[in-house]
Amino acid sequence: MSASIAIQVLPKVETDEEVVRIVDEVIAYIQSTGHRYQVGAFETTIEGENIDMLMDIAKACLQVAVRSGAPKVSAYIKAVYCPEGDILTIEQKTGKYR
C-alpha cells in the first residue's frame, strides 16, 4: 500500500440529523469505490496504490455532500504517500483495537 487519506466531511446544515444523513451518503460513495476504508468517529480512512485516485475520491466526497443537500461543505484531509515503498495500513495501525 503506497497511499492513504483520512477525510472528515462537515456539511453546513441546520440539524445533526441532516449532518448524519449527508455523511452517510458520503460514506456510501466511499464504499462504492472499492477501496479499503475504515469509518471512525471523526473521519474515514481510505487506502490505495494511487494517490491521484485517492485525492479524486476526496474531491468527489465534497461533491456528494453538496448533491445530497449541503449548501456548503468543509473537509479536513490528511494524506500519507510513499511512492517507492509501503505505508502503515489501517490494519497495522488499528487492528489490535478491534
Side-chain angles (χ1 to χ4, degrees):
M1 200 64 42
S2 67
S4 179
I5 65 168
I7 183 166
Q8 179 184 27
V9 174
L10 300 167
K12 304 294 184 185
V13 291
E14 294 296 320
T15 66
D16 290 342
E17 292 79 14
E18 191 68 353
V19 169
V20 171
R21 183 189 69 74
I22 292 170
V23 169
D24 285 347
E25 293 289 329
V26 172
I27 293 169
Y29 162 71
I30 292 169
Q31 184 178 26
S32 78
T33 68
H35 284 79
R36 192 170 312 129
Y37 71 98
Q38 181 175 315
V39 176
F42 287 98
E43 64 190 14
T44 299
T45 304
I46 311 162
E47 295 177 333
E49 293 298 333
N50 184 318
I51 189 66
D52 293 327
M53 177 67 72
L54 293 180
M55 297 309 284
D56 286 345
I57 290 170
K59 180 174 103 176
C61 287
L62 300 175
Q63 295 165 331
V64 167
V66 169
R67 281 196 307 270
S68 297
K72 182 178 178 181
V73 61
S74 297
Y76 296 96
I77 301 167
K78 299 179 229 174
V80 62
Y81 178 50
C82 184
E84 300 299 324
D86 291 325
I87 61 166
L88 288 173
T89 65
I90 293 169
E91 181 62 30
Q92 289 170 314
K93 291 187 266 186
T94 64
K96 64 185 171 190
Y97 300 108
R98 282 186 262 134

